Amino acid sequence: MSGPARAQGSEITPSDYLASLRSMADSLPPRRVGTASTVGLPSGFTLPRGTGFAALALSDRRERTGSENLDGSGALGLGFGDAEETVGVDVILGFSSVGKGEGNEIDWDDFGDSGSVSIKFARRIPAPFEGEVASVAVGVDRAGRWGDMEEADPSYYAAGTTTFSLPVNDDILLPGLMTLGYATEIGTSEDEDGLFFGLGLGVSDHLSLGASWYGDEVIAGVTSTFEVSDRLDLQLGLSYGDVGQRNSDGRWMLSIAVVRADIF
Protein backbone atom coordinates (compact mmCIF):
# COMPACT_ATOMS: atom_id res chain seq x y z
CA MET A 1 0.00 0.00 0.00
CA SER A 2 1.53 0.86 -0.46
CA GLY A 3 -0.79 3.62 1.51
CA PRO A 4 -1.23 7.41 0.72
CA ALA A 5 1.07 8.49 -2.04
CA ARG A 6 3.76 11.12 -2.18
CA ALA A 7 3.08 13.59 -4.97
CA GLN A 8 6.04 14.55 -7.17
CA GLY A 9 8.56 11.76 -6.82
CA SER A 10 7.56 8.39 -5.40
CA GLU A 11 4.70 6.72 -7.22
CA ILE A 12 1.33 5.86 -5.72
CA THR A 13 1.29 2.22 -4.63
CA PRO A 14 -2.07 0.96 -3.37
CA SER A 15 -0.80 -2.42 -4.59
CA ASP A 16 1.06 -2.75 -1.28
CA TYR A 17 -2.16 -2.21 0.60
CA LEU A 18 -4.32 -4.51 -1.50
CA ALA A 19 -1.85 -7.40 -1.51
CA SER A 20 -1.66 -7.38 2.27
CA LEU A 21 -5.44 -7.10 2.51
CA ARG A 22 -5.99 -10.11 0.26
CA SER A 23 -3.34 -12.16 2.10
CA MET A 24 -4.81 -11.39 5.49
CA ALA A 25 -8.33 -12.15 4.34
CA ASP A 26 -7.17 -15.60 3.27
CA SER A 27 -5.23 -16.46 6.40
CA LEU A 28 -6.46 -14.75 9.56
CA PRO A 29 -9.29 -16.04 11.81
CA PRO A 30 -12.82 -14.81 11.04
CA ARG A 31 -12.93 -12.76 14.26
CA ARG A 32 -10.37 -10.24 12.95
CA VAL A 33 -11.64 -6.65 12.70
CA GLY A 34 -10.76 -4.28 9.87
CA THR A 35 -7.72 -4.23 7.59
CA ALA A 36 -4.17 -2.89 7.97
CA SER A 37 -2.15 -0.61 5.72
CA THR A 38 1.23 1.11 5.98
CA VAL A 39 1.85 4.60 4.55
CA GLY A 40 4.45 6.18 2.29
CA LEU A 41 6.77 3.24 1.57
CA PRO A 42 7.02 0.09 -0.59
CA SER A 43 6.24 -3.33 0.87
CA GLY A 44 7.15 -6.95 0.28
CA PHE A 45 3.74 -7.75 -1.24
CA THR A 46 2.61 -7.47 -4.84
CA LEU A 47 -0.84 -7.38 -6.39
CA PRO A 48 -2.57 -10.69 -7.04
CA ARG A 49 -2.47 -11.72 -10.70
CA GLY A 50 -5.05 -9.85 -12.75
CA THR A 51 -5.64 -7.12 -10.15
CA GLY A 52 -5.19 -3.49 -11.16
CA PHE A 53 -5.66 -0.02 -9.75
CA ALA A 54 -6.03 3.61 -10.73
CA ALA A 55 -5.03 6.29 -8.23
CA LEU A 56 -4.71 10.04 -7.77
CA ALA A 57 -2.86 12.01 -5.06
CA LEU A 58 -2.69 15.66 -4.07
CA SER A 59 -0.06 17.38 -1.91
CA ASP A 60 0.05 20.93 -0.54
CA ARG A 61 3.69 21.39 -1.58
CA ARG A 62 6.15 20.00 -4.10
CA GLU A 63 8.42 17.54 -2.39
CA ARG A 64 11.58 18.07 -4.41
CA THR A 65 11.49 21.88 -4.63
CA GLY A 66 9.71 22.73 -1.38
CA SER A 67 7.34 25.00 -3.32
CA GLU A 68 4.09 25.72 -1.49
CA ASN A 69 2.09 25.25 -4.70
CA LEU A 70 -0.40 22.40 -4.75
CA ASP A 71 0.94 19.36 -6.55
CA GLY A 72 -0.72 16.25 -7.92
CA SER A 73 0.21 12.85 -9.30
CA GLY A 74 -1.48 9.72 -10.59
CA ALA A 75 -0.75 6.07 -11.27
CA LEU A 76 -2.03 2.96 -13.01
CA GLY A 77 -0.86 -0.46 -11.84
CA LEU A 78 -1.35 -4.12 -12.71
CA GLY A 79 -0.32 -7.38 -11.05
CA PHE A 80 1.14 -10.41 -12.82
CA GLY A 81 2.43 -13.81 -11.74
CA ASP A 82 1.88 -15.63 -8.45
CA ALA A 83 4.07 -14.74 -5.46
CA GLU A 84 3.03 -17.91 -3.63
CA GLU A 85 3.79 -20.40 -6.40
CA THR A 86 6.51 -18.59 -8.39
CA VAL A 87 7.08 -14.82 -8.48
CA GLY A 88 4.60 -11.96 -8.25
CA VAL A 89 5.18 -8.89 -10.40
CA ASP A 90 3.82 -5.34 -10.14
CA VAL A 91 4.10 -2.88 -13.03
CA ILE A 92 3.15 0.73 -12.22
CA LEU A 93 2.86 3.65 -14.61
CA GLY A 94 3.13 6.93 -12.70
CA PHE A 95 2.26 10.45 -13.81
CA SER A 96 3.87 13.33 -11.92
CA SER A 97 3.48 16.45 -14.03
CA VAL A 98 0.27 17.78 -12.48
CA GLY A 99 0.77 20.94 -10.44
CA LYS A 100 2.53 23.30 -12.81
CA GLY A 101 -0.08 26.01 -12.45
CA GLU A 102 0.69 29.27 -10.67
CA GLY A 103 -0.21 29.76 -7.02
CA ASN A 104 -2.51 27.03 -5.75
CA GLU A 105 -4.06 26.28 -9.12
CA ILE A 106 -3.44 22.87 -10.66
CA ASP A 107 -3.04 22.79 -14.41
CA TRP A 108 -4.65 19.48 -15.41
CA ASP A 109 -3.72 20.13 -19.06
CA ASP A 110 -0.15 19.10 -18.22
CA PHE A 111 -1.22 15.73 -16.79
CA GLY A 112 0.84 12.93 -18.36
CA ASP A 113 3.63 15.16 -19.67
CA SER A 114 5.97 13.76 -17.02
CA GLY A 115 6.16 10.39 -15.31
CA SER A 116 7.91 7.07 -14.84
CA VAL A 117 7.54 3.29 -14.85
CA SER A 118 8.21 1.19 -11.74
CA ILE A 119 8.47 -2.59 -11.35
CA LYS A 120 8.58 -4.96 -8.38
CA PHE A 121 9.15 -8.71 -7.95
CA ALA A 122 7.95 -10.57 -4.85
CA ARG A 123 7.98 -14.06 -3.34
CA ARG A 124 6.02 -15.42 -0.37
CA ILE A 125 8.08 -16.73 2.56
CA PRO A 126 7.17 -18.38 5.89
CA ALA A 127 5.80 -15.77 8.29
CA PRO A 128 7.50 -15.15 11.66
CA PHE A 129 4.11 -15.26 13.39
CA GLU A 130 1.83 -18.30 13.46
CA GLY A 131 -1.14 -18.10 11.12
CA GLU A 132 0.17 -15.01 9.30
CA VAL A 133 1.60 -14.35 5.82
CA ALA A 134 4.87 -12.75 4.75
CA SER A 135 6.64 -11.81 1.54
CA VAL A 136 9.93 -10.33 0.34
CA ALA A 137 10.39 -8.13 -2.71
CA VAL A 138 12.96 -6.29 -4.78
CA GLY A 139 12.02 -3.43 -7.06
CA VAL A 140 12.97 -0.24 -8.80
CA ASP A 141 10.96 2.99 -8.76
CA ARG A 142 11.40 5.37 -11.70
CA ALA A 143 12.99 2.62 -13.81
CA GLY A 144 11.91 4.45 -16.97
CA ARG A 145 11.27 8.21 -16.99
CA TRP A 146 10.02 10.95 -19.29
CA GLY A 147 9.42 14.70 -19.09
CA ASP A 148 10.51 16.42 -15.88
CA MET A 149 11.11 13.02 -14.27
CA GLU A 150 14.12 12.41 -16.54
CA GLU A 151 16.15 14.43 -14.02
CA ALA A 152 15.25 11.98 -11.22
CA ASP A 153 17.39 8.93 -10.46
CA PRO A 154 15.94 5.43 -10.14
CA SER A 155 15.34 4.16 -6.61
CA TYR A 156 16.29 0.53 -5.95
CA TYR A 157 14.92 -1.25 -2.91
CA ALA A 158 14.49 -4.55 -1.08
CA ALA A 159 11.66 -5.05 1.41
CA GLY A 160 10.14 -7.68 3.65
CA THR A 161 6.59 -7.50 4.99
CA THR A 162 4.60 -9.64 7.40
CA THR A 163 1.10 -9.51 8.80
CA PHE A 164 0.49 -9.86 12.54
CA SER A 165 -2.48 -9.80 14.91
CA LEU A 166 -3.05 -7.78 18.06
CA PRO A 167 -5.58 -9.39 20.42
CA VAL A 168 -7.96 -6.96 22.09
CA ASN A 169 -9.98 -9.58 23.97
CA ASP A 170 -11.14 -13.18 23.47
CA ASP A 171 -13.42 -12.13 20.62
CA ILE A 172 -11.49 -9.46 18.70
CA LEU A 173 -8.20 -9.41 16.79
CA LEU A 174 -6.82 -6.23 15.23
CA PRO A 175 -4.85 -6.94 12.03
CA GLY A 176 -1.39 -5.45 11.67
CA LEU A 177 1.21 -4.99 8.94
CA MET A 178 4.97 -4.52 9.42
CA THR A 179 7.57 -3.70 6.75
CA LEU A 180 11.37 -3.39 6.88
CA GLY A 181 13.60 -2.55 3.93
CA TYR A 182 16.48 -0.62 2.39
CA ALA A 183 16.37 1.72 -0.59
CA THR A 184 18.39 4.21 -2.58
CA GLU A 185 17.21 7.74 -3.42
CA ILE A 186 14.63 8.08 -0.63
CA GLY A 187 13.83 10.59 2.08
CA THR A 188 12.47 14.12 2.00
CA SER A 189 14.54 15.16 -1.03
CA GLU A 190 14.84 11.64 -2.43
CA ASP A 191 18.64 11.79 -2.49
CA GLU A 192 19.54 9.55 0.47
CA ASP A 193 20.17 5.81 0.78
CA GLY A 194 18.91 4.16 3.92
CA LEU A 195 16.55 1.97 5.89
CA PHE A 196 12.79 2.28 5.91
CA PHE A 197 10.35 0.82 8.39
CA GLY A 198 6.57 0.94 8.68
CA LEU A 199 3.75 -0.25 10.92
CA GLY A 200 0.04 -0.32 10.19
CA LEU A 201 -2.86 -1.34 12.42
CA GLY A 202 -6.50 -1.82 11.49
CA VAL A 203 -8.65 -0.24 14.20
CA SER A 204 -12.15 -0.60 12.71
CA ASP A 205 -13.92 -2.19 9.78
CA HIS A 206 -12.84 0.63 7.45
CA LEU A 207 -9.95 2.47 9.15
CA SER A 208 -6.23 1.77 9.50
CA LEU A 209 -3.57 3.87 11.26
CA GLY A 210 0.02 3.83 10.01
CA ALA A 211 3.44 5.38 10.65
CA SER A 212 6.70 4.96 8.74
CA TRP A 213 10.35 5.97 8.80
CA TYR A 214 11.48 6.61 5.23
CA GLY A 215 15.21 7.33 5.05
CA ASP A 216 15.24 10.65 6.90
CA GLU A 217 11.63 11.47 7.75
CA VAL A 218 8.58 10.18 9.62
CA ILE A 219 5.32 9.78 7.68
CA ALA A 220 2.02 9.19 9.49
CA GLY A 221 -1.50 8.79 8.21
CA VAL A 222 -4.87 7.09 8.08
CA THR A 223 -6.28 4.85 5.36
CA SER A 224 -9.96 4.08 4.85
CA THR A 225 -11.07 1.15 2.72
CA PHE A 226 -14.52 0.29 1.39
CA GLU A 227 -15.66 -2.79 -0.53
CA VAL A 228 -17.76 -1.47 -3.41
CA SER A 229 -18.42 -4.94 -4.81
CA ASP A 230 -16.90 -8.43 -4.77
CA ARG A 231 -14.18 -7.29 -7.19
CA LEU A 232 -13.95 -3.57 -6.56
CA ASP A 233 -12.44 -1.69 -3.58
CA LEU A 234 -12.16 2.03 -2.87
CA GLN A 235 -9.24 3.34 -0.80
CA LEU A 236 -8.94 6.86 0.67
CA GLY A 237 -5.83 8.09 2.45
CA LEU A 238 -4.67 11.17 4.35
CA SER A 239 -1.08 11.46 5.55
CA TYR A 240 1.52 13.98 6.70
CA GLY A 241 5.14 13.78 5.52
CA ASP A 242 8.21 14.80 7.54
CA VAL A 243 6.20 14.84 10.76
CA GLY A 244 9.03 16.29 12.85
CA GLN A 245 9.91 18.81 10.10
CA ARG A 246 13.56 17.71 10.30
CA ASN A 247 14.26 18.47 6.63
CA SER A 248 11.29 20.52 5.43
CA ASP A 249 8.15 22.36 6.52
CA GLY A 250 6.20 19.11 6.19
CA ARG A 251 3.44 18.35 3.68
CA TRP A 252 -0.11 17.04 3.65
CA MET A 253 -1.06 14.34 1.14
CA LEU A 254 -4.53 13.18 0.09
CA SER A 255 -5.01 10.10 -2.10
CA ILE A 256 -7.80 8.07 -3.64
CA ALA A 257 -7.48 4.69 -5.37
CA VAL A 258 -9.88 2.29 -7.08
CA VAL A 259 -8.74 -1.34 -7.06
CA ARG A 260 -10.26 -3.98 -9.36
CA ALA A 261 -9.66 -7.74 -9.04
CA ASP A 262 -9.92 -10.40 -11.76
CA ILE A 263 -9.29 -8.08 -14.72
CA PHE A 264 -7.81 -11.10 -16.51
Side-chain angles (χ1 to χ4, degrees), residues 172-201:
I172 298 177
L173 283 177
L174 298 183
L177 195 65
M178 179 168 55
T179 293
L180 176 64
Y182 186 90
T184 65
E185 305 295 331
I186 61 174
T188 305
S189 300
E190 297 184 348
D191 58 3
E192 300 285 340
D193 300 351
L195 291 170
F196 58 84
F197 175 77
L199 282 173
L201 185 67

PDB file of all heavy atoms in Angstrom, residues 172-201:
ATOM      1  N   ILE A 172     -11.918 -10.417  19.724  1.00  0.00           N
ATOM      2  CA  ILE A 172     -11.492  -9.464  18.699  1.00  0.00           C
ATOM      3  C   ILE A 172      -9.988  -9.505  18.480  1.00  0.00           C
ATOM      4  O   ILE A 172      -9.202  -9.491  19.434  1.00  0.00           O
ATOM      5  CB  ILE A 172     -11.909  -8.025  19.078  1.00  0.00           C
ATOM      6  CG1 ILE A 172     -13.430  -7.912  19.170  1.00  0.00           C
ATOM      7  CG2 ILE A 172     -11.369  -7.020  18.056  1.00  0.00           C
ATOM      8  CD1 ILE A 172     -13.896  -6.552  19.616  1.00  0.00           C
ATOM      9  N   LEU A 173      -9.593  -9.546  17.200  1.00  0.00           N
ATOM     10  CA  LEU A 173      -8.197  -9.406  16.794  1.00  0.00           C
ATOM     11  C   LEU A 173      -8.080  -8.194  15.876  1.00  0.00           C
ATOM     12  O   LEU A 173      -8.869  -8.034  14.945  1.00  0.00           O
ATOM     13  CB  LEU A 173      -7.728 -10.648  16.025  1.00  0.00           C
ATOM     14  CG  LEU A 173      -7.399 -11.910  16.805  1.00  0.00           C
ATOM     15  CD1 LEU A 173      -7.034 -13.026  15.832  1.00  0.00           C
ATOM     16  CD2 LEU A 173      -6.239 -11.664  17.759  1.00  0.00           C
ATOM     17  N   LEU A 174      -7.107  -7.332  16.140  1.00  0.00           N
ATOM     18  CA  LEU A 174      -6.819  -6.232  15.233  1.00  0.00           C
ATOM     19  C   LEU A 174      -5.694  -6.657  14.289  1.00  0.00           C
ATOM     20  O   LEU A 174      -4.643  -7.112  14.750  1.00  0.00           O
ATOM     21  CB  LEU A 174      -6.399  -4.978  16.007  1.00  0.00           C
ATOM     22  CG  LEU A 174      -7.430  -4.385  16.964  1.00  0.00           C
ATOM     23  CD1 LEU A 174      -6.871  -3.110  17.600  1.00  0.00           C
ATOM     24  CD2 LEU A 174      -8.734  -4.098  16.253  1.00  0.00           C
ATOM     25  N   PRO A 175      -5.891  -6.541  12.972  1.00  0.00           N
ATOM     26  CA  PRO A 175      -4.855  -6.942  12.029  1.00  0.00           C
ATOM     27  C   PRO A 175      -3.756  -5.890  11.928  1.00  0.00           C
ATOM     28  O   PRO A 175      -4.013  -4.679  11.966  1.00  0.00           O
ATOM     29  CB  PRO A 175      -5.620  -7.066  10.712  1.00  0.00           C
ATOM     30  CG  PRO A 175      -6.723  -6.068  10.846  1.00  0.00           C
ATOM     31  CD  PRO A 175      -7.111  -6.076  12.298  1.00  0.00           C
ATOM     32  N   GLY A 176      -2.523  -6.356  11.803  1.00  0.00           N
ATOM     33  CA  GLY A 176      -1.387  -5.449  11.671  1.00  0.00           C
ATOM     34  C   GLY A 176      -0.528  -5.794  10.482  1.00  0.00           C
ATOM     35  O   GLY A 176      -0.602  -6.890   9.923  1.00  0.00           O
ATOM     36  N   LEU A 177       0.314  -4.826  10.084  1.00  0.00           N
ATOM     37  CA  LEU A 177       1.208  -4.986   8.944  1.00  0.00           C
ATOM     38  C   LEU A 177       2.539  -4.331   9.307  1.00  0.00           C
ATOM     39  O   LEU A 177       2.560  -3.190   9.782  1.00  0.00           O
ATOM     40  CB  LEU A 177       0.597  -4.332   7.709  1.00  0.00           C
ATOM     41  CG  LEU A 177       1.186  -4.669   6.340  1.00  0.00           C
ATOM     42  CD1 LEU A 177       0.968  -6.144   6.019  1.00  0.00           C
ATOM     43  CD2 LEU A 177       0.550  -3.797   5.267  1.00  0.00           C
ATOM     44  N   MET A 178       3.646  -5.039   9.077  1.00  0.00           N
ATOM     45  CA  MET A 178       4.971  -4.520   9.419  1.00  0.00           C
ATOM     46  C   MET A 178       5.920  -4.711   8.250  1.00  0.00           C
ATOM     47  O   MET A 178       6.005  -5.800   7.682  1.00  0.00           O
ATOM     48  CB  MET A 178       5.506  -5.232  10.665  1.00  0.00           C
ATOM     49  CG  MET A 178       6.881  -4.785  11.100  1.00  0.00           C
ATOM     50  SD  MET A 178       7.318  -5.413  12.764  1.00  0.00           S
ATOM     51  CE  MET A 178       7.084  -7.189  12.533  1.00  0.00           C
ATOM     52  N   THR A 179       6.662  -3.658   7.886  1.00  0.00           N
ATOM     53  CA  THR A 179       7.573  -3.695   6.750  1.00  0.00           C
ATOM     54  C   THR A 179       8.934  -3.167   7.160  1.00  0.00           C
ATOM     55  O   THR A 179       9.046  -2.178   7.890  1.00  0.00           O
ATOM     56  CB  THR A 179       7.038  -2.841   5.584  1.00  0.00           C
ATOM     57  OG1 THR A 179       5.863  -3.433   5.053  1.00  0.00           O
ATOM     58  CG2 THR A 179       8.064  -2.727   4.467  1.00  0.00           C
ATOM     59  N   LEU A 180       9.998  -3.841   6.677  1.00  0.00           N
ATOM     60  CA  LEU A 180      11.370  -3.394   6.883  1.00  0.00           C
ATOM     61  C   LEU A 180      12.109  -3.508   5.562  1.00  0.00           C
ATOM     62  O   LEU A 180      11.969  -4.519   4.857  1.00  0.00           O
ATOM     63  CB  LEU A 180      12.067  -4.258   7.945  1.00  0.00           C
ATOM     64  CG  LEU A 180      13.548  -3.961   8.197  1.00  0.00           C
ATOM     65  CD1 LEU A 180      13.729  -2.558   8.770  1.00  0.00           C
ATOM     66  CD2 LEU A 180      14.147  -5.010   9.128  1.00  0.00           C
ATOM     67  N   GLY A 181      12.884  -2.487   5.200  1.00  0.00           N
ATOM     68  CA  GLY A 181      13.598  -2.552   3.933  1.00  0.00           C
ATOM     69  C   GLY A 181      14.710  -1.533   3.838  1.00  0.00           C
ATOM     70  O   GLY A 181      14.972  -0.754   4.760  1.00  0.00           O
ATOM     71  N   TYR A 182      15.380  -1.557   2.682  1.00  0.00           N
ATOM     72  CA  TYR A 182      16.478  -0.622   2.392  1.00  0.00           C
ATOM     73  C   TYR A 182      16.310  -0.144   0.959  1.00  0.00           C
ATOM     74  O   TYR A 182      15.969  -0.926   0.066  1.00  0.00           O
ATOM     75  CB  TYR A 182      17.831  -1.311   2.558  1.00  0.00           C
ATOM     76  CG  TYR A 182      19.009  -0.372   2.421  1.00  0.00           C
ATOM     77  CD1 TYR A 182      19.530   0.279   3.536  1.00  0.00           C
ATOM     78  CD2 TYR A 182      19.589  -0.127   1.173  1.00  0.00           C
ATOM     79  CE1 TYR A 182      20.604   1.145   3.424  1.00  0.00           C
ATOM     80  CE2 TYR A 182      20.666   0.742   1.050  1.00  0.00           C
ATOM     81  CZ  TYR A 182      21.165   1.379   2.179  1.00  0.00           C
ATOM     82  OH  TYR A 182      22.228   2.241   2.060  1.00  0.00           O
ATOM     83  N   ALA A 183      16.567   1.154   0.747  1.00  0.00           N
ATOM     84  CA  ALA A 183      16.373   1.716  -0.589  1.00  0.00           C
ATOM     85  C   ALA A 183      17.378   2.822  -0.864  1.00  0.00           C
ATOM     86  O   ALA A 183      17.944   3.428   0.049  1.00  0.00           O
ATOM     87  CB  ALA A 183      14.949   2.269  -0.732  1.00  0.00           C
ATOM     88  N   THR A 184      17.596   3.070  -2.140  1.00  0.00           N
ATOM     89  CA  THR A 184      18.385   4.209  -2.582  1.00  0.00           C
ATOM     90  C   THR A 184      17.448   5.347  -2.977  1.00  0.00           C
ATOM     91  O   THR A 184      16.283   5.112  -3.294  1.00  0.00           O
ATOM     92  CB  THR A 184      19.260   3.844  -3.792  1.00  0.00           C
ATOM     93  OG1 THR A 184      18.406   3.531  -4.918  1.00  0.00           O
ATOM     94  CG2 THR A 184      20.131   2.620  -3.491  1.00  0.00           C
ATOM     95  N   GLU A 185      17.960   6.560  -2.948  1.00  0.00           N
ATOM     96  CA  GLU A 185      17.214   7.739  -3.415  1.00  0.00           C
ATOM     97  C   GLU A 185      15.859   7.877  -2.729  1.00  0.00           C
ATOM     98  O   GLU A 185      14.813   7.949  -3.364  1.00  0.00           O
ATOM     99  CB  GLU A 185      17.023   7.681  -4.940  1.00  0.00           C
ATOM    100  CG  GLU A 185      18.308   7.517  -5.731  1.00  0.00           C
ATOM    101  CD  GLU A 185      19.223   8.721  -5.598  1.00  0.00           C
ATOM    102  OE1 GLU A 185      18.730   9.833  -5.391  1.00  0.00           O
ATOM    103  OE2 GLU A 185      20.453   8.527  -5.705  1.00  0.00           O
ATOM    104  N   ILE A 186      15.879   7.905  -1.379  1.00  0.00           N
ATOM    105  CA  ILE A 186      14.633   8.076  -0.635  1.00  0.00           C
ATOM    106  C   ILE A 186      14.769   9.281   0.289  1.00  0.00           C
ATOM    107  O   ILE A 186      15.755  10.015   0.240  1.00  0.00           O
ATOM    108  CB  ILE A 186      14.261   6.814   0.172  1.00  0.00           C
ATOM    109  CG1 ILE A 186      15.359   6.489   1.209  1.00  0.00           C
ATOM    110  CG2 ILE A 186      14.046   5.635  -0.752  1.00  0.00           C
ATOM    111  CD1 ILE A 186      14.991   5.343   2.138  1.00  0.00           C
ATOM    112  N   GLY A 187      13.799   9.489   1.146  1.00  0.00           N
ATOM    113  CA  GLY A 187      13.829  10.590   2.084  1.00  0.00           C
ATOM    114  C   GLY A 187      13.107  11.819   1.569  1.00  0.00           C
ATOM    115  O   GLY A 187      12.502  11.814   0.494  1.00  0.00           O
ATOM    116  N   THR A 188      13.201  12.905   2.331  1.00  0.00           N
ATOM    117  CA  THR A 188      12.474  14.124   2.004  1.00  0.00           C
ATOM    118  C   THR A 188      12.815  14.643   0.619  1.00  0.00           C
ATOM    119  O   THR A 188      11.946  15.044  -0.153  1.00  0.00           O
ATOM    120  CB  THR A 188      12.774  15.207   3.054  1.00  0.00           C
ATOM    121  OG1 THR A 188      12.477  14.696   4.352  1.00  0.00           O
ATOM    122  CG2 THR A 188      11.932  16.444   2.804  1.00  0.00           C
ATOM    123  N   SER A 189      14.108  14.662   0.277  1.00  0.00           N
ATOM    124  CA  SER A 189      14.540  15.163  -1.030  1.00  0.00           C
ATOM    125  C   SER A 189      14.844  14.049  -2.014  1.00  0.00           C
ATOM    126  O   SER A 189      15.312  14.298  -3.118  1.00  0.00           O
ATOM    127  CB  SER A 189      15.788  16.046  -0.863  1.00  0.00           C
ATOM    128  OG  SER A 189      15.524  17.143  -0.022  1.00  0.00           O
ATOM    129  N   GLU A 190      14.609  12.814  -1.590  1.00  0.00           N
ATOM    130  CA  GLU A 190      14.841  11.640  -2.431  1.00  0.00           C
ATOM    131  C   GLU A 190      16.272  11.590  -2.965  1.00  0.00           C
ATOM    132  O   GLU A 190      16.513  11.293  -4.131  1.00  0.00           O
ATOM    133  CB  GLU A 190      13.834  11.589  -3.578  1.00  0.00           C
ATOM    134  CG  GLU A 190      12.403  11.432  -3.080  1.00  0.00           C
ATOM    135  CD  GLU A 190      11.404  11.273  -4.205  1.00  0.00           C
ATOM    136  OE1 GLU A 190      11.765  11.506  -5.359  1.00  0.00           O
ATOM    137  OE2 GLU A 190      10.256  10.911  -3.911  1.00  0.00           O
ATOM    138  N   ASP A 191      17.244  11.872  -2.087  1.00  0.00           N
ATOM    139  CA  ASP A 191      18.644  11.791  -2.494  1.00  0.00           C
ATOM    140  C   ASP A 191      19.488  11.050  -1.456  1.00  0.00           C
ATOM    141  O   ASP A 191      20.711  11.153  -1.444  1.00  0.00           O
ATOM    142  CB  ASP A 191      19.226  13.188  -2.737  1.00  0.00           C
ATOM    143  CG  ASP A 191      19.125  14.088  -1.512  1.00  0.00           C
ATOM    144  OD1 ASP A 191      18.648  13.600  -0.463  1.00  0.00           O
ATOM    145  OD2 ASP A 191      19.529  15.256  -1.609  1.00  0.00           O
ATOM    146  N   GLU A 192      18.837  10.291  -0.566  1.00  0.00           N
ATOM    147  CA  GLU A 192      19.535   9.546   0.468  1.00  0.00           C
ATOM    148  C   GLU A 192      19.333   8.047   0.272  1.00  0.00           C
ATOM    149  O   GLU A 192      18.320   7.611  -0.261  1.00  0.00           O
ATOM    150  CB  GLU A 192      19.018   9.941   1.857  1.00  0.00           C
ATOM    151  CG  GLU A 192      19.193  11.404   2.217  1.00  0.00           C
ATOM    152  CD  GLU A 192      20.617  11.740   2.565  1.00  0.00           C
ATOM    153  OE1 GLU A 192      21.379  10.809   2.890  1.00  0.00           O
ATOM    154  OE2 GLU A 192      20.965  12.939   2.540  1.00  0.00           O
ATOM    155  N   ASP A 193      20.315   7.255   0.700  1.00  0.00           N
ATOM    156  CA  ASP A 193      20.173   5.809   0.784  1.00  0.00           C
ATOM    157  C   ASP A 193      19.974   5.448   2.250  1.00  0.00           C
ATOM    158  O   ASP A 193      20.634   6.020   3.125  1.00  0.00           O
ATOM    159  CB  ASP A 193      21.425   5.101   0.260  1.00  0.00           C
ATOM    160  CG  ASP A 193      21.718   5.427  -1.192  1.00  0.00           C
ATOM    161  OD1 ASP A 193      20.877   6.063  -1.837  1.00  0.00           O
ATOM    162  OD2 ASP A 193      22.809   5.057  -1.667  1.00  0.00           O
ATOM    163  N   GLY A 194      19.086   4.508   2.524  1.00  0.00           N
ATOM    164  CA  GLY A 194      18.911   4.162   3.922  1.00  0.00           C
ATOM    165  C   GLY A 194      17.787   3.186   4.176  1.00  0.00           C
ATOM    166  O   GLY A 194      17.123   2.695   3.262  1.00  0.00           O
ATOM    167  N   LEU A 195      17.581   2.897   5.458  1.00  0.00           N
ATOM    168  CA  LEU A 195      16.547   1.973   5.895  1.00  0.00           C
ATOM    169  C   LEU A 195      15.180   2.637   5.888  1.00  0.00           C
ATOM    170  O   LEU A 195      15.061   3.850   6.062  1.00  0.00           O
ATOM    171  CB  LEU A 195      16.854   1.478   7.306  1.00  0.00           C
ATOM    172  CG  LEU A 195      18.067   0.561   7.491  1.00  0.00           C
ATOM    173  CD1 LEU A 195      18.352   0.369   8.980  1.00  0.00           C
ATOM    174  CD2 LEU A 195      17.837  -0.784   6.817  1.00  0.00           C
ATOM    175  N   PHE A 196      14.156   1.828   5.686  1.00  0.00           N
ATOM    176  CA  PHE A 196      12.791   2.285   5.909  1.00  0.00           C
ATOM    177  C   PHE A 196      12.045   1.229   6.709  1.00  0.00           C
ATOM    178  O   PHE A 196      12.351   0.038   6.650  1.00  0.00           O
ATOM    179  CB  PHE A 196      12.070   2.627   4.604  1.00  0.00           C
ATOM    180  CG  PHE A 196      11.968   1.502   3.600  1.00  0.00           C
ATOM    181  CD1 PHE A 196      10.953   0.563   3.680  1.00  0.00           C
ATOM    182  CD2 PHE A 196      12.880   1.407   2.558  1.00  0.00           C
ATOM    183  CE1 PHE A 196      10.843  -0.457   2.746  1.00  0.00           C
ATOM    184  CE2 PHE A 196      12.775   0.393   1.613  1.00  0.00           C
ATOM    185  CZ  PHE A 196      11.758  -0.540   1.704  1.00  0.00           C
ATOM    186  N   PHE A 197      11.083   1.699   7.487  1.00  0.00           N
ATOM    187  CA  PHE A 197      10.348   0.823   8.388  1.00  0.00           C
ATOM    188  C   PHE A 197       8.939   1.368   8.541  1.00  0.00           C
ATOM    189  O   PHE A 197       8.749   2.585   8.637  1.00  0.00           O
ATOM    190  CB  PHE A 197      11.037   0.762   9.755  1.00  0.00           C
ATOM    191  CG  PHE A 197      10.277  -0.032  10.787  1.00  0.00           C
ATOM    192  CD1 PHE A 197      10.297  -1.420  10.752  1.00  0.00           C
ATOM    193  CD2 PHE A 197       9.543   0.592  11.773  1.00  0.00           C
ATOM    194  CE1 PHE A 197       9.592  -2.168  11.694  1.00  0.00           C
ATOM    195  CE2 PHE A 197       8.838  -0.132  12.724  1.00  0.00           C
ATOM    196  CZ  PHE A 197       8.872  -1.529  12.680  1.00  0.00           C
ATOM    197  N   GLY A 198       7.943   0.485   8.559  1.00  0.00           N
ATOM    198  CA  GLY A 198       6.572   0.938   8.677  1.00  0.00           C
ATOM    199  C   GLY A 198       5.704  -0.027   9.463  1.00  0.00           C
ATOM    200  O   GLY A 198       5.903  -1.250   9.407  1.00  0.00           O
ATOM    201  N   LEU A 199       4.733   0.528  10.184  1.00  0.00           N
ATOM    202  CA  LEU A 199       3.749  -0.249  10.922  1.00  0.00           C
ATOM    203  C   LEU A 199       2.355   0.249  10.571  1.00  0.00           C
ATOM    204  O   LEU A 199       2.135   1.463  10.444  1.00  0.00           O
ATOM    205  CB  LEU A 199       3.953  -0.116  12.436  1.00  0.00           C
ATOM    206  CG  LEU A 199       5.066  -0.928  13.087  1.00  0.00           C
ATOM    207  CD1 LEU A 199       5.210  -0.511  14.553  1.00  0.00           C
ATOM    208  CD2 LEU A 199       4.800  -2.412  12.982  1.00  0.00           C
ATOM    209  N   GLY A 200       1.435  -0.678  10.413  1.00  0.00           N
ATOM    210  CA  GLY A 200       0.041  -0.319  10.189  1.00  0.00           C
ATOM    211  C   GLY A 200      -0.844  -1.176  11.057  1.00  0.00           C
ATOM    212  O   GLY A 200      -0.545  -2.348  11.299  1.00  0.00           O
ATOM    213  N   LEU A 201      -1.947  -0.599  11.542  1.00  0.00           N
ATOM    214  CA  LEU A 201      -2.861  -1.337  12.417  1.00  0.00           C
ATOM    215  C   LEU A 201      -4.294  -0.987  12.066  1.00  0.00           C
ATOM    216  O   LEU A 201      -4.691   0.184  12.054  1.00  0.00           O
ATOM    217  CB  LEU A 201      -2.590  -0.982  13.881  1.00  0.00           C
ATOM    218  CG  LEU A 201      -3.397  -1.780  14.921  1.00  0.00           C
ATOM    219  CD1 LEU A 201      -2.967  -3.251  14.921  1.00  0.00           C
ATOM    220  CD2 LEU A 201      -3.216  -1.177  16.313  1.00  0.00           C
TER     221      LEU A 201
END
